[in-house]
C-alpha cells in the first residue's frame, strides 16, 4: 500500500489539487484582506484550474502562480461570495458577491440542526403521537429544501427539510428500519430554528429491526433465514502481485501500460481526471483534457407528503468530495493498492485530510482477445488487465462508488456503484404501496431514479473536435436491398448546440463519435472515440414539475457545448433552492457552433430504481455507467502486444516440444 504525499510549493504541477497548506493559506489570505468576521463560513476552497494554454505550455519544475477559488457565505447578511486567491503572491485577485443564490450545505449546519429540531414542542408532540417519548432515539437526515414554489426562493431564506427515523437505542442499530412517516420539518438554517412542522397523520413505526451486521443476522427476530449467521464455506481468495503493480506515480501523475493521466480531487466533484492520453508508436495522443461527474439528481416518484419533495442534487447541494470515505484495504480495494488522500476545508477554513480518499489498483478483467484455429487446435488468447481508479461517498442513507476503468484495448469505462440503504416510508399493517415496493412489515421503498451527468472535455488527438450521431438503420427494400437483409449506419453531424441535445436510442444502437477530421487513420477515416451511452430511462415526472425545471439536463442523454472554463456543472453552480433553468439549458441558448472546435460532451445516464425486497435492509450493489471506445483512433487492435499468460506460454512450449519429439 502506498499513499501520495503532498508538498506546498509553487513548482507543483498546475493541476495538482490544493494541499492542506495551500487550503489554509488561501483562507488566511482572504480573511486578512477582507477583514472577515465570525459570521463567515468557508464553503469550498479548491484549485482554480489555470487556462488550458498555461497547462499545455507548462514545463516540469517551472514556478506556477497557483490560485485558489473560494466560496464563502456570510450568515449575518445572508450573502454568498466568491474569491480568487493567488497563493504565490499571497493576495486576493478578485472578490464578488453572488446575489440571489444559496451555497451548498455546510458541515457546521449539518452538525447543529438536529438537536434544535428535537427541542421543538411541535415536533415533540408529533413524536409522542407515534409513541416515542425518548427523543434521543430519533435520527434525522438533512434533506435539502429544494424548490417547491415561491416560499423556497433563495431570497426568502435558507431552509432544510429534515426527515426523521427512530433507533432502538442499541449500539449499531439501523434507525432507517423505522421511518417516521408524514412528519415534515421546515428548518431555517440562518436563524437555526424550526419554521414549521407538518404532521400528515400517524402511521405506526415498523415492528421489525433491520440490522445487517454479522452479529445481527444471527438473531432470529432480525432475519430468520440467516439465523445460522455468516456463511462458513467461503474459502479465501488472495490477490498477489509479487513484483508489485505495473503503474508508476509521480505526485498525481499516473503511467500505466500505454495510458498517461493525472488524478485530481475537488470538494464538490470528488474524483477528477485530467490530461488523459494513450501512448501510440512513441507519441502520447490526447483523449480527455478533463473528466468528472458534474451532477447527480435523485427524484422520487411517490406523491405522498414525505416523498414528493425528495429531489436532491448531491453534487451541488452537498458535495461528493466533502462526503468521501476513507477507503480500507481488503474491503473497498484489493491487491497492490496506491492511495491518494483528499483535502477539503472545514467552515473555518482549516484543512481536513480524508485519508485514502481515492484508490488505484490493477485487476484482472477476463479475456482481452482470443481465437482458436479449429484446424490445428491452436489457441491464441490474452488476458485483460485494467487500471481502476475509484472513490466512495456516503450521502445520508445511500453509498455511491465512482469507478474509472482504463483498459488495454484503449477503452475507458465509467461506472457508478449504488449501495447503502433505501430512503423509505412507513405503511399501516396490511397496506400495499402503489408507488413503491414493500420490503419489510410496515416499510416500503418508493420508486425513484438516480440520474448522473458526466462532463467530458474531450481532446481526441487535439482540441478541435466534432461530434457525429450514428444510428444503425434498415435499408428500404429495393435495388439497394434486394434480399431485405441490408442495414447501414446513418451519420448525422451535430453542427450547433441547438442540434446537440439528443436522446439515446437502443432500437438503433445509437452512439456518438467524437472525431478529429484533421487526423486520419490508416484507411483514411477521421480518428475518433465513440461514446456508448449507459442506461437511459427518461425522468418520469411531468415536465412542468419544479424538480424537472431544476434538472433540465436530465431530459437529454447527450448535450454538446462549446468549451467555456466557467461551465462545469450541468444544473448550474448553485442549485440549492434554485427554481431552475441554470446550467446546460441556459448555456445552449447561445447556440454556438460545434464543428472542428474545442467542445465538451455531457452524458446523462440513469439508475432506474424499482425497489426489490432484496434491497433491504442494505442494498446489494447496482451499477450504471457508459463506455468511451476507440473508433478508428488506432490502426488496429491496440491490445495485440499484450503478452500471453505465463501458463499459456508454457503450454505452447510444451506442446511444441512434444510435437518435435513425435516427429523425430
Amino acid at each position: 500500500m502506498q499513499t501520495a504525499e503532498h508538498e506546498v510549493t509553487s513548482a507543483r504541477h498546475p493541476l495538482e489539487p490544493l494541499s492542506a497548506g495551500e487550503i489554509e493559506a488561501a483562507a488566511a489570505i482572504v480573511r486578512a484582506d477582507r477583514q472577515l468576521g465570525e459570521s463567515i463560513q468557508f464553503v469550498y476552497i479548491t484549485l482554480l484550474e489555470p487556462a488550458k494554454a498555461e497547462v499545455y505550455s507548462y514545463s516540469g519544475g517551472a514556478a506556477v502562480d497557483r490560485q485558489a477559488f473560494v466560496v464563502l457565505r456570510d450568515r449575518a447578511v445572508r450573502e454568498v461570495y466568491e474569491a480568487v486567491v493567488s497563493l504565490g503572491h499571497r493576495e486576493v485577485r478578485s472578490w464578488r458577491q453572488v446575489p440571489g443564490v444559496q451555497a451548498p450545505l455546510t458541515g457546521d449546519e449539518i452538525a447543529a440542526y438536529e438537536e434544535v429540531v428535537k427541542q421543538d414542542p411541535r415536533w415533540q408532540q408529533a413524536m409522542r403521537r407515534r409513541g416515542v417519548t425518548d427523543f434521543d432515539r430519533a435520527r434525522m437526515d438533512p434533506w435539502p429544501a429544494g424548490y417547491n414554489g415561491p416560499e423556497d426562493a433563495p431570497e426568502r431564506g435558507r431552509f432544510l427539510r429534515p426527515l426523521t427515523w427512530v433507533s432502538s437505542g442499541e449500539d449499531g442499530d439501523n434507525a432507517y428500519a423505522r421511518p417516521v412517516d408524514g412528519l415534515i420539518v421546515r428548518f431555517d438554517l440562518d436563524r437555526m430554528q424550526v419554521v414549521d412542522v407538518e404532521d400528515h397523520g400517524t402511521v405506526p413505526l415498523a415492528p421489525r429491526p433491520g440490522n445487517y451486521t454479522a452479529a445481527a443476522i444471527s438473531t432470529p427476530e432480525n432475519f430468520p433465514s440467516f439465523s445460522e449467521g455468516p456463511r462458513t464455506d467461503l474459502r479465501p481468495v488472495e490477490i498477489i502481485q509479487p513484483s508489485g503493480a505495473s503503474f508508476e506515480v509521480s505526485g498525481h501523475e499516473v503511467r500505466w501500460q500505454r495510458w498517461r493521466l493525472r488524478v485530481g480531487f475537488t470538494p464538490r466533484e470528488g474524483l477528477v481526471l485530467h490530461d488523459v492520453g494513450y501512448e501510440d508508436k512513441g507519441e502520447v495522443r490526447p483523449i480527455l483534457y478533463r473528466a468528472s461527474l458534474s451532477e447527480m439528481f435523485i427524484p422520487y416518484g411517490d406523491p405522498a407528503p414525505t416523498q414528493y419533495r425528495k429531489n436532491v442534487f448531491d453534487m451541488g447541494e452537498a458535495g461528493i468530495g466533502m462526503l468521501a470515505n476513507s477507503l480500507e484495504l481488503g474491503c473497498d480495494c484489493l491487491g497492490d493498492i496506491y492511495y491518494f488522500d483528499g483535502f477539503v476545508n472545514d467552515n473555518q477554513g482549516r484543512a481536513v485530510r480524508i485519508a485514502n480518499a481515492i484508490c488505484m489498483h490493477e485487476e484482472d478483467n477476463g479475456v482481452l482477445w482470443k481465437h482458436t484455429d479449429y484446424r490445428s487446435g491452436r489457441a491464441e488468447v490474452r488476458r485483460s488487465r485494467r487500471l481502476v481508479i475509484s472513490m466512495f461517498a456516503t450521502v445520508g442513507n445511500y453509498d455511491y462508488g465512482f469507478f474509472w476503468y482504463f483498459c488495454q484495448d484503449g477503452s475507458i469505462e465509467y461506472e457508478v456503484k449504488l449501495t447503502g440503504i433505501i430512503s423509505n416510508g412507513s405503511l399501516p399493517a396490511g397496506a400495499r404501496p402503489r408507488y413503491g415496493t414493500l420490503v419489510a412489515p410496515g416499510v416500503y421503498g418508493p420508486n425513484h431514479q438516480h440520474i448522473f451527468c458526466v462532463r467530458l472535455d474531450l481532446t481526441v488527438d487535439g482540441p478541435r473536435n466534432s461530434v457525429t450521431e450514428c444510428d444503425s438503420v434498415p435499408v428500404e427494400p429495393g435495388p439497394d436491398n434486394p434480399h431485405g437483409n441490408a442495414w447501414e449506419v446513418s451519420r448525422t453531424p451535430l453542427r450547433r448546440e441547438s442540434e446537440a441535445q439528443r436522446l439515446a436510442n437502443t432500437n438503433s444502437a445509437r452512439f456518438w463519435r467524437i472525431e478529429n477530421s484533421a487526423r486520419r487513420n490508416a484507411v483514411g477515416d477521421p480518428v475518433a472515440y465513440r461514446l456508448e451511452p449507459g442506461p437511459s430511462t427518461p425522468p418520469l415526472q411531468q415536465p412542468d414539475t419544479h424538480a424537472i425545471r431544476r434538472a433540465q439536463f436530465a431530459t437529454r442523454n447527450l448535450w454538446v457545448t462549446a468549451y467555456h472554463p466557467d461551465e462545469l456543472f450541468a444544473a448550474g453552480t448553485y442549485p440549492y433552492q434554485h427554481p431552475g433553468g441554470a446550467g446546460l439549458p441556459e448555456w445552449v441558448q447561445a447556440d454556438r457552433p460545434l464543428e472542428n472546435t474545442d467542445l465538451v460532451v455531457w452524458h446523462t445516464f440513469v439508475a432506474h430504481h424499482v425497489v426489490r425486497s432484496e434491497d433491504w435492509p442494505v442494498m446489494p450493489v447496482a451499477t450504471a455507467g457508459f463506455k468511451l471506445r476507440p473508433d478508428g483512433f488506432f490502426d488496429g487492435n491496440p491490445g495485440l502486444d499484450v503478452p500471453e499468460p505465463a501458463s499459456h506460454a508454457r503450454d505452447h512450449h510444451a506442446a511444441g516440444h512434444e510435437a518435435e519429439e513425435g516427429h523425430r
Side-chain angles (χ1 to χ4, degrees):
M1 181 189 75
Q2 304 172 65
T3 302
E5 297 294 332
H6 301 268
E7 298 178 358
V8 181
T9 169
S10 62
R12 299 179 73 206
H13 189 278
L15 296 176
E16 289 276 304
L18 292 184
S19 67
E22 289 174 321
I23 288 171
E24 296 190 349
I29 293 165
V30 174
R31 186 179 284 110
D33 183 270
R34 304 301 302 185
Q35 298 182 343
L36 301 179
E38 294 297 318
S39 61
I40 281 287
Q41 292 181 313
F42 287 87
V43 181
Y44 289 158
I45 304 175
T46 190
L47 175 71
L48 178 64
E49 296 173 16
K52 287 184 176 183
E54 294 181 41
V55 176
Y56 288 141
S57 63
Y58 173 76
S59 58
V64 176
D65 180 22
R66 285 170 58 80
Q67 298 185 11
F69 178 70
V70 185
V71 177
L72 310 96
R73 188 170 188 278
D74 191 334
R75 292 184 60 193
V77 296
R78 303 185 182 186
E79 295 292 350
V80 175
Y81 301 91
E82 294 176 349
V84 173
V85 180
S86 168
L87 295 165
H89 296 278
R90 298 191 64 81
E91 65 182 14
V92 175
R93 289 281 172 86
S94 70
W95 172 274
R96 76 180 188 107
Q97 180 181 329
V98 189
V101 302
Q102 290 291 347
L105 282 172
T106 67
D108 285 357
E109 291 170 329
I110 293 172
Y113 82 91
E114 186 169 339
E115 288 306 312
V116 178
V117 173
K118 289 180 181 180
Q119 300 303 315
D120 186 84
R122 294 164 292 181
W123 179 87
Q124 291 182 351
Q125 185 179 12
M127 294 297 286
R128 290 190 185 98
R129 284 196 289 267
R130 289 160 173 82
V132 178
T133 56
D134 182 359
F135 302 137
D136 289 338
R137 293 171 51 203
R139 303 287 184 269
M140 294 181 195
D141 275 0
W143 283 76
Y147 183 90
N148 299 279
E151 70 279 5
D152 291 327
E155 59 270 17
R156 297 288 295 272
R158 181 170 173 80
F159 301 108
L160 193 67
R161 189 167 282 111
L163 298 178
T164 306
W165 287 260
V166 177
S167 167
S168 69
E170 297 176 5
D171 185 46
D173 181 67
N174 175 19
Y176 290 116
R178 303 173 195 84
V180 178
D181 214 88
L183 178 58
I184 302 159
V185 174
R186 183 176 175 84
F187 190 85
D188 188 319
L189 288 165
D190 284 321
R191 295 187 175 93
M192 277 292 158
Q193 66 183 35
V194 175
V195 176
D196 187 35
V197 175
E198 301 176 25
D199 191 347
H200 294 271
T202 300
V203 178
L205 296 179
R208 182 184 295 175
N211 301 325
Y212 47 84
T213 63
I217 66 171
S218 304
T219 306
E221 63 264 21
N222 270 293
F223 295 100
S225 57
F226 297 116
S227 58
E228 295 181 0
R231 306 177 191 189
T232 58
D233 57 349
L234 196 62
R235 295 173 181 170
V237 171
E238 295 184 4
I239 309 298
I240 299 173
Q241 293 180 270
S243 301
S246 301
F247 49 71
E248 299 176 6
V249 183
S250 176
H252 284 73
E253 181 185 15
V254 176
R255 294 170 175 252
W256 179 79
Q257 294 289 280
R258 305 279 185 243
W259 289 102
R260 306 289 184 267
L261 58 95
R262 302 193 67 85
V263 175
F265 186 85
T266 75
R268 179 166 178 160
E269 302 154 289
L271 173 59
V272 179
L273 299 179
H274 299 277
D275 204 15
V276 178
Y278 193 95
E279 184 180 342
D280 181 32
K281 302 173 186 173
E283 173 193 6
V284 178
R285 301 172 64 187
I287 299 167
L288 281 163
Y289 180 78
R290 191 182 195 274
S292 68
L293 182 61
S294 171
E295 192 54 88
M296 296 165 53
F297 170 56
I298 301 91
Y300 280 70
D302 181 347
T306 314
Q307 307 297 336
Y308 82 90
R309 285 171 282 203
K310 289 182 179 177
N311 53 91
V312 288
F313 297 75
D314 286 339
M315 313 292 289
E317 293 179 330
I320 291 300
M322 301 294 281
L323 303 174
N325 294 174
S326 290
L327 303 177
E328 296 184 27
L329 183 63
C331 298
D332 301 294
C333 311
L334 286 175
D336 197 320
I337 305 300
Y338 190 95
Y339 290 108
F340 297 91
D341 292 343
F343 287 89
V344 296
N345 60 280
D346 68 12
N347 298 139
Q348 287 69 50
R350 296 180 294 249
V352 177
R353 173 177 174 250
I354 304 173
N356 302 350
I358 297 171
C359 166
M360 183 171 69
H361 68 285
E362 299 173 286
E363 66 182 19
D364 182 88
N365 193 36
V367 173
L368 177 63
W369 57 264
K370 177 179 180 176
H371 180 64
T372 300
D373 187 328
Y374 76 90
R375 296 173 182 84
S376 67
R378 181 182 175 90
E380 285 286 341
V381 62
R382 301 294 184 270
R383 296 291 299 178
S384 174
R385 194 182 300 185
R386 66 184 182 185
L387 181 70
V388 184
I389 305 175
S390 64
M391 66 163 286
F392 260 89
T394 299
V395 188
N397 53 294
Y398 261 105
D399 297 76
Y400 296 93
F402 305 99
F403 286 68
W404 288 98
Y405 303 114
F406 293 88
C407 305
Q408 292 167 311
D409 64 353
S411 62
I412 302 170
E413 300 179 24
Y414 183 72
E415 183 179 61
V416 181
K417 299 186 178 186
L418 301 90
T419 181
I421 302 173
I422 57 171
S423 187
N424 48 30
S426 288
L427 287 172
R432 308 290 297 190
R434 178 178 176 181
Y435 305 103
T437 304
L438 196 67
V439 296
V443 181
Y444 78 103
N447 300 335
H448 61 283
Q449 296 174 299
H450 304 257
I451 303 177
F452 305 92
C453 185
V454 170
R455 180 183 183 273
L456 302 167
D457 184 353
L458 285 137
T459 54
V460 177
D461 257 342
R464 296 189 177 275
N465 294 163
S466 304
V467 179
T468 299
E469 183 171 274
C470 300
D471 291 285
S472 298
V473 295
V475 176
E476 290 292 327
D480 293 334
N481 188 15
H483 308 293
N485 67 312
W487 59 272
E488 62 185 345
V489 178
S490 171
R491 290 174 165 82
T492 305
L494 306 180
R495 295 188 171 93
R496 307 191 67 83
E497 290 177 331
S498 58
E499 302 171 8
Q501 304 168 32
R502 309 298 297 163
L503 295 174
N505 187 346
T506 55
N507 290 336
S508 65
R510 178 172 292 169
F511 62 89
W512 296 280
R513 293 183 94 241
I514 299 90
E515 304 172 339
N516 187 333
S517 60
R519 183 158 181 173
R520 304 278 167 162
N521 60 22
V523 296
D525 291 330
V527 297
Y529 260 71
R530 71 166 62 168
L531 170 59
E532 296 182 351
S536 54
T537 308
L540 297 182
Q541 297 196 357
Q542 296 300 309
D544 61 348
T545 59
H546 291 296
I548 298 304
R549 289 175 183 170
R550 302 176 68 212
Q552 281 293 298
F553 76 85
T555 65
R556 298 291 184 270
N557 300 114
L558 180 89
W559 303 74
V560 186
T561 60
Y563 171 78
H564 190 287
D566 295 335
E567 296 176 0
L568 292 173
F569 306 115
T573 305
Y574 296 102
Y576 201 99
Q577 291 179 230
H578 196 285
L584 282 167
E586 179 183 5
W587 304 329
V588 299
Q589 291 179 19
D591 199 19
R592 295 165 290 190
L594 297 175
E595 292 184 289
N596 300 315
T597 192
D598 191 356
L599 53 78
V600 177
V601 171
W602 309 73
H603 177 42
T604 304
F605 59 96
V606 181
H608 185 77
H609 198 176
V610 178
V611 176
R612 311 168 301 150
S613 60
E614 290 85 356
D615 292 332
W616 185 255
V618 64
M619 177 178 154
V621 163
T623 61
F626 64 90
K627 295 181 181 180
L628 281 170
R629 299 179 66 196
D631 187 353
F633 190 81
F634 300 104
D635 292 337
N637 180 353
L640 285 179
D641 60 350
V642 173
E644 59 185 340
S647 59
H648 192 60
R650 288 194 299 270
D651 291 344
H652 276 183
H653 177 76
H657 181 72
E658 290 171 4
E660 185 178 347
E661 289 295 324
H663 179 71
R664 288 176 182 171

